[in-house]
């Protein structure tokens, strides 16, 4: 596929703006062709108007049609072949094996949502039948289900160019719900964005859907994002990125005349608590897996553990030493782009400057700044240092972490209580540990979206029960997930019908349950028809 550097606005292309930018190979800093145009205000309006104009038509399509559409997107992504992976490797420096796996995740989640839409019970149909003879007043017929909200804006993420980008969960779940989507491509991998955008364009044509169902706008500046969030047609926004960027756009969304939902996933330090029994039984294994999790993807996952906390003991000391050994054996690797690499090194300097913190292990091979490489660093300190220097709780996006040693169980609880909202927390322990540290677990349940036992937070399973979110600042809406099938709930709202004739109702609420979905009828879950 020949890249054009143009926007994809419905079934047309756009390149009105004179300002351009280019992607860069992070491993060589070579500039990649072509130049990509910055989207203009007029192009934003054009894309969103197309989405608004086709919304009623798109949301009226059958569930089967939308499921077929999602499957067609998956097929079109695979049809891009290795050229997609090669461009992604050029633009991000991510290994081909990682990108191959990520493409599989993107394709499989599209098929997972197709199955969800096809089965249909996710619409949460609720029916309360009329009681005309009820005294003192008759009861009306009331029926409710979830309905799509309208055009959605999606921001592509830098660290998952295939699975949390143009064809990521945000786009797929919004389209599955019946919402047109306008994607702001990530400037770190605009070529990949164009290729994936054309795959969706092809699927739109093959499924004979209105062209305005999908648009892709490119831009490296902040202005495009603000314009998309502010536009009155935008009904919701999905964002994955930094706390600073997410919070700024969240404030824009709330400052609108008509505020809209802004679903941001903004990162986390994902603390790991190692309890005494686990440290004694398998400290060496925990140390090895911990460093693997810290360094996975060069530490560029929002779930990498940035902190390990345990009770002082000879076993924790041994775990710390083995962690240091594993860090020294870990070689440096290229980060996604120069800005991330520079921010990571600045973060390392900040941690090193804190009194009481020392480096206990670092990669024995120096990182190469010309290749935007990052090296693994593990620090250690007494837990008191965390209380004196809360900046240790700030995420340093990259392959570093801090081991903190507590004097007592009460200190562990104090540390947990002092945490801001997190995507995850991990507990390594035995059954006896769980009994003795029940208060710690109760505290963590209030602080996180996902609590992990005897594992590590990296490697998110895409499934119906996954929750990837958490209390602020991990996310702006802790009730919602950005991964898994429940993510579709971000782009729908309850719609209630009272005393409507059967023929005027959506098919999911009619007396005959044509789709065979699970419905709550007079407080009983059933798939039966209403007689």
């Amino acid at each position: 596929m020949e890249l054009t550097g143009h926007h994809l606005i419905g079934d047309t292309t756009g390149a009105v703006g004179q300002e351009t930018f280019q992607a860069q190979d992070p491993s060589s800093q070579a500039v990649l062709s072509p130049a990509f145009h910055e989207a203009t205000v007029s192009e934003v309006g054009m894309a969103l108007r197309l989405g608004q104009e086709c919304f009623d038509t798109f949301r009226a399509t059958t569930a089967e049609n939308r499921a077929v559409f999602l499957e067609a997107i998956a097929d079109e992504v695979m049809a891009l072949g290795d050229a997609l992976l090669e461009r992604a490797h050029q633009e991000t420096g991510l290994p081909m094996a990682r990108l191959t796996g990520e493409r599989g995740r993107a394709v499989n989640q599209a098929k997972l949502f197709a199955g969800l839409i096809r089965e249909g019970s996710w619409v949460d149909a609720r029916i309360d039948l009329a009681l005309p003879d009820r005294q003192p007043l008759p009861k009306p017929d009331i029926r409710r289900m979830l309905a799509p909200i309208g055009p959605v804006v999606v921001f592509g993420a830098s660290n998952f160019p295939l699975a949390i980008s143009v064809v990521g969960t945000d786009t797929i779940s919004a389209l599955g719900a019946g919402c047109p989507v306008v994607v702001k491509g990530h400037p770190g991998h605009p070529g990949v964005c164009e290729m994936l955008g054309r795959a969706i364009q092809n699927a739109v044509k093959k499924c004979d859907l209105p062209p305005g169902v999908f648009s892709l706008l490119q831009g490296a500046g902040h202005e495009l994002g603000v314009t998309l969030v502010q536009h009155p047609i935008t009904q919701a926004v999905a964002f994955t990125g930094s706390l600073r960027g997410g919070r700024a756009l969240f404030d824009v969304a709330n400052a609108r005349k008509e505020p809209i939902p802004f679903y941001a996933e903004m990162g986390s330090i994902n603390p790991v608590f190692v309890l005494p029994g686990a440290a004694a039984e398998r400290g060496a294994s925990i140390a090895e897996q911990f460093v693997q999790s810290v360094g996975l993807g060069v530490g560029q996952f929002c779930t990498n553990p940035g902190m390990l906390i345990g009770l002082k003991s000879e076993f924790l000391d041994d775990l710390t030493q083995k962690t240091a050994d594993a860090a020294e054996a870990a070689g440096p690797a290229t980060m996604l782009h120069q800005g991330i690499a520079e921010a990571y090194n600045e973060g390392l300097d900040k941690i090193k400057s804190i009194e009481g913190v020392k480096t206990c292990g670092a990669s024995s091979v120096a990182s190469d700044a010309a290749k935007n490489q990052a090296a693994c660093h593990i620090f250690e300190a007494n837990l008191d240092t965390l209380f004196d220097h809360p900046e240790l709780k700030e995420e340093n996006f990259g392959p570093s972490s801090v081991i903190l040693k507590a004097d007592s169980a009460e200190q562990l609880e104090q540390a947990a209580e002092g945490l801001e909202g997190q995507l995850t927390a991990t507990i390594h322990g035995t059954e006896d540990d769980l009994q003795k540290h029940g208060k710690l677990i109760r505290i963590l349940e209030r602080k996180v979206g996902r609590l992990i036992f005897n594992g590590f937070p990296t490697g998110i399973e895409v499934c119906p029960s996954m929750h990837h979110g958490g209390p602020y600042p991990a996310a702006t809406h802790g009730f919602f997930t950005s991964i898994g099938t429940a993510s579709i709930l971000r782009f729908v709202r309850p719609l209630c019908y009272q005393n409507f004739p059967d023929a005027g109702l959506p098919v999911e609420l009619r007396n005959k349950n044509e789709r065979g979905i699970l419905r709550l009828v007079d407080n009983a879950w059933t798939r039966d028809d209403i007689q």
Side-chain angles (χ1 to χ4, degrees):
M1 175 187 294
E2 183 177 353
L3 296 176
T4 66
H6 294 177
H7 314 294
L8 309 179
I9 303 175
D11 59 356
T12 65
T13 60
V16 175
Q18 298 302 307
E19 294 186 25
T20 61
F21 67 98
Q22 289 180 262
Q24 190 176 58
D25 184 335
S27 65
S28 66
Q29 302 193 41
V31 176
L32 303 175
S33 294
F36 290 83
H37 290 259
E38 288 275 353
T40 64
V41 172
S42 64
E43 288 169 325
V44 169
M46 187 185 307
L48 285 165
R49 282 193 297 273
L50 283 173
Q52 183 183 50
E53 290 165 3
C54 77
F55 174 48
D56 284 340
T57 301
F58 185 45
R59 71 188 181 99
T61 56
T62 66
E64 177 62 22
N65 285 344
R66 292 201 303 280
V68 169
F69 175 40
L70 298 186
E71 291 167 341
I73 292 174
D75 291 341
E76 290 296 324
V77 170
M78 291 304 299
L80 293 171
D82 289 344
L84 173 66
L85 305 181
E86 291 163 1
R87 180 71 187 198
H89 175 65
Q90 280 186 306
E91 291 186 330
T92 67
L94 294 172
M96 292 292 282
R98 150 74 191 273
L99 291 167
T100 301
E102 192 181 325
R103 180 181 61 181
R105 171 176 162 178
V107 166
N108 289 336
Q109 72 185 359
K111 294 178 179 178
L112 178 67
F113 275 95
L116 176 80
I117 301 304
R118 187 172 278 123
E119 191 280 328
S121 297
W122 72 274
V123 300
D124 192 26
R126 296 165 180 256
I127 299 172
D128 288 282
L129 298 174
L131 295 174
D133 298 327
R134 188 183 70 174
Q135 294 298 326
L137 294 173
K139 175 187 175 184
D141 183 283
I142 299 175
R143 308 186 183 207
R144 192 194 92 153
M145 64 178 288
L146 298 176
I149 58 174
V152 168
V153 167
V154 170
F155 284 74
S158 65
N159 56 341
F160 279 87
L162 305 182
I164 311 180
S165 188
V166 176
V167 295
T169 310
D170 298 332
T171 300
I172 294 299
S173 59
L175 292 173
C179 297
V181 172
V182 176
V183 173
K184 179 194 177 296
H186 195 280
H189 49 262
V192 171
C193 290
E194 181 176 336
M195 294 176 79
L196 294 174
R198 290 188 180 278
I200 298 180
Q201 266 192 339
N202 290 340
V204 169
K205 293 175 185 175
K206 288 185 176 180
C207 294
D208 198 25
L209 292 171
V213 162
F214 173 80
S215 293
L216 167 69
L217 300 176
Q218 305 268 25
H222 300 301
E223 295 81 4
L224 173 57
V226 172
T227 303
L228 284 164
V229 175
Q230 286 179 331
H231 201 285
I233 291 176
T234 302
Q235 296 300 298
V237 179
F239 171 93
T240 299
S242 69
L243 174 59
R244 181 180 177 183
R247 179 64 207 222
L249 291 171
F250 178 58
D251 290 343
V252 171
N254 284 299
R256 288 174 34 141
K257 182 179 179 180
E258 178 193 352
I260 56 171
F262 184 88
Y263 301 107
E265 185 269 285
M266 300 180 292
S268 178
I269 58 169
N270 308 295
V272 175
F273 289 82
V274 179
L275 302 180
E281 285 187 2
R282 47 189 178 83
S285 174
I286 292 172
E288 181 180 356
Q289 294 174 53
F290 174 66
V291 173
Q292 289 175 355
S293 187
V294 169
L296 190 65
V298 206
Q300 298 169 118
F301 291 163
C302 52
T303 53
N304 288 79
M307 182 181 295
L308 184 149
I309 305 175
L311 282 173
K312 290 178 181 177
S313 70
E314 61 180 296
F315 301 112
L316 185 62
D317 289 342
D318 187 56
L319 183 152
T320 301
Q321 183 57 54
K322 288 183 168 55
T323 299
D325 294 342
E328 290 171 5
T334 297
M335 299 194 85
L336 290 163
H337 57 75
Q338 184 178 356
I340 286 181
E342 290 175 349
Y344 172 68
N345 288 319
E346 289 172 5
L348 292 179
D349 291 340
K350 185 175 181 179
I351 295 170
K352 291 174 183 177
S353 70
I354 297 174
E355 185 177 354
V357 175
K358 67 176 184 179
T359 302
C360 68
S363 175
S364 59
V365 179
S367 57
D368 186 343
K371 296 181 179 179
N372 292 312
Q373 288 185 338
C376 181
H377 281 72
I378 304 295
F379 303 94
E380 67 173 311
N382 289 326
L383 188 55
D384 288 338
T385 309
L386 178 68
F387 304 141
D388 296 334
H389 296 276
E391 60 267 33
L392 278 174
K393 290 184 281 189
E394 297 174 4
E395 180 184 25
N396 187 30
F397 197 63
S400 76
S401 193
V402 183
I403 297 175
L404 298 166
K405 299 181 177 181
D407 292 319
S408 65
E410 289 73 23
Q411 271 202 330
L412 292 180
E413 294 160 8
Q414 184 183 356
E417 196 66 69
L419 291 171
E420 294 183 307
Q422 303 291 323
L423 294 172
T424 76
T426 299
I427 297 171
H428 282 272
T430 63
E431 289 189 14
D432 185 55
D433 283 329
L434 293 183
Q435 292 293 324
K436 292 179 178 177
H437 296 272
K439 184 177 179 181
L440 172 65
I441 297 168
R442 301 289 85 78
I443 294 170
L444 292 175
E445 287 173 343
R446 293 190 274 108
K447 297 288 184 175
V448 308
R450 177 164 57 112
L451 194 56
I452 299 146
F453 182 63
N454 287 348
F456 285 94
T458 43
I460 300 174
E461 187 68 31
V462 181
C463 63
S465 55
M466 176 52 64
H467 185 82
H468 188 59
Y472 184 88
T476 50
H477 290 272
F479 289 9
F480 296 94
T481 180
S482 60
I483 301 293
T485 54
S487 62
I488 198 171
L489 300 177
R490 297 172 296 170
F491 308 123
V492 291
R493 64 177 180 87
L495 180 58
C496 183
Y497 298 83
Q498 184 167 323
N499 285 337
F500 255 64
D502 194 65
L505 289 166
V507 64
E508 292 87 352
L509 295 178
R510 294 175 187 168
N511 289 338
K512 183 173 178 56
N513 189 4
E514 295 178 11
R515 298 191 57 199
I517 64 174
L518 192 62
R519 309 189 296 184
L520 185 66
V521 180
D522 286 343
N523 285 322
W525 291 103
T526 178
R527 296 183 188 273
D528 294 340
D529 295 337
I530 296 171
Q531 303 300 322

